[in-house]
Amino acid sequence: MQRFKLIKRLLGLVKSFKTVIILAVINGIIGNLCSIIISTIASFTLIKFLGYPISLSYVTLFALMIFLGCFRGVLRYFEQYSNHYIAFKILGHIRHIIFEKLRILGVAKIETKEKGALTNQITSDVETLEVFYAHTISPCLIALFVNGGLFLYISLFINLYLGLIILAFYLIVGVILPVIFYRVNQKQGLEYRNELAAFNAYYLDSIAGRKDIRYTNSASSFINEIKAKTSDLHHFTRRNIKLVANTRGIVNAFIILGSIVILMVSSILIQNNLINPLLVIVALITYLSSFGPVNALAALPSNLNQTFASAKRLFAILDEKPLVKENKNDNTFDFEKLECNNVSFAYDNRLILNNLSLTVNKQEFIGIVGPSGIGKSTLLKLIMNFYPYQGEIKFNGIELKDIDHNSLYQNISMFSQHTYLFNDTIRNNLLIANNNATDDEIKEALRKVSLLDFVNNLEKGLDTVIKEDSTNISLGEKQRLGLARVFLRKPKLLLLDEPTSNIDSLNELLILKSLKDHKNEMTIIMISHKKSTLSIADKIYTFKDGMLSD
Ligand code: ATP
């Protein structure tokens, strides 16, 4: 039952591609019929040669076969093209809805997920669905029409008994065996998929942490672990290959068994003068050449098990409830005042904020100091509406819970110690903060963070590409590019989460200087575990026991 729901949901995603699917199926039906008809014409040519009266000349029969062969080639191309067109369009659509869902789930939810597992889900799990969309939907429909049609043709024009035998073997190979294979190997497919997902997650995690692995000289233990996991995975892969081989063997055995049964029944029919012996040749050749579409179904179970396992994991993300609701309403605001009144918050029953209160007015620069792990970042995350809380957080007197989501993020921005730069040009990395910024505005932002000379001296200037993992710039430059984004974005309220904690004192000084020089352009709340960093703030609060004190 659960499986049917899953299939229904997967099919639901292709509703808008109905026309292309119908075209692909029609294409496939005509194409497969062409192949079968070629064999049938060949058998007619043979029985004509053996004396059966056929009005068409040999030339016509050969010409028909050549024409159908070429036509089949063209149709095959379009069939493959349309199936893959649908599949990749749908995969693109699924990726889009997953990204949209991750956006709605919010940063807080994503933070709690294993990054490797998440990457695996939005890459390889989505890819696995290709099997369903490109190799399942249309083959099922094609088999239904082509083999259904052949059953009728043989029953009506050759012999009903032979037609029924052929139908029985179509059902065995195309329905009964795939269902049995699917049931028997369901657990195996799931295990393989989970093992592969765990391996990918571990591998990606190890690559992300390669520097730490190097510094701690722990490469050998990681390599050993990867070797162990590879060998586990190898075991599952071998089991899968064995399954595919067994499946093919059993399927082919049944197809041959079918032809033996046809010959045995035909001999009885011939003895009773119920069929012309030459037509048995036509029936047999048609039968043997007609398993293309049904064979495609027989090969599905091993792949489908994995596809359903992937689909289940992807739908689990889509069904996940966001921690906070995303509001779309008229409660927009232009930042004047932030009030936190008796705010309390706990992670898994561990109280972090305990009746905390704070008021921040427009143009103020507030500093919050406190030791590591006390809850400073959590306070900023609550102000960003990442988590539900108790008490009140209000912007201009409007409860955060009721504020329009877009309006909130138009007013506030957060800048932390981890700036992420994309593998793209410096210009494009800055434009994400403000799509409409001109080169002059970008340069002004770079000047504010003392990076203009640095960028001007680069051979390609703003067109310089930041390498993956930002390996071609220093940590301090990276942070200052992050701050340049803030100046381009010009938020009304800026939340600074330890922006200088990872960098050297020269870069810290440069960042603090630019913040000090431009602090009148926005309202700022900055947190740090060092009081000296906060010396540029107008007012400093100390975070202690879940509360703030002067
Ligand atoms: P730091 O300066 O080191 O970043 P902080 O004062 O900003 O520390 P928070 O990041 O707010 O501290 O974390 C407060 C406490 O809550 C820490 O003990 C942390 O381990 C815990 N914590 C943070 N995020 C989560 C989470 N998503 N789930 C559970 N516990 C968390």
Side-chain angles (χ1 to χ4, degrees), residues 400-439:
L400 179 56
K401 292 166 191 157
D402 302 325
I403 281 175
D404 174 74
H405 184 83
N406 282 330
S407 175
L408 179 71
Y409 294 115
Q410 265 155 23
N411 275 275
I412 61 177
S413 248
M414 183 139 89
F415 177 49
S416 75
Q417 53 194 287
H418 304 294
T419 293
Y420 188 82
L421 296 179
F422 296 91
N423 179 202
D424 204 341
T425 60
I426 294 181
R427 179 186 289 101
N428 287 345
N429 263 293
L430 294 175
L431 281 177
I432 64 156
N434 177 0
N435 255 325
N436 303 317
T438 61
D439 271 12

Side-chain angles (χ1 to χ4, degrees), residues 420-490:
Y420 188 82
L421 296 179
F422 296 91
N423 179 202
D424 204 341
T425 60
I426 294 181
R427 179 186 289 101
N428 287 345
N429 263 293
L430 294 175
L431 281 177
I432 64 156
N434 177 0
N435 255 325
N436 303 317
T438 61
D439 271 12
D440 284 344
E441 285 168 323
I442 291 178
K443 285 181 180 163
E444 176 57 17
L446 288 169
R447 193 191 56 73
K448 285 179 179 173
V449 296
S450 313
L451 271 182
L452 188 58
D453 288 344
F454 164 76
V455 174
N456 281 341
N457 284 331
L458 293 170
E459 200 186 325
K460 292 191 176 161
L462 284 175
D463 292 317
T464 306
V465 173
I466 306 282
K467 287 190 183 161
E468 211 181 317
D469 278 355
S470 314
T471 45
N472 55 340
I473 60 166
S474 77
L475 215 57
E477 287 154 358
K478 185 174 163 187
Q479 273 307 80
R480 282 188 280 148
L481 279 176
L483 191 61
R485 273 181 185 161
V486 170
F487 286 125
L488 275 176
R489 183 149 177 76
K490 298 184 191 125

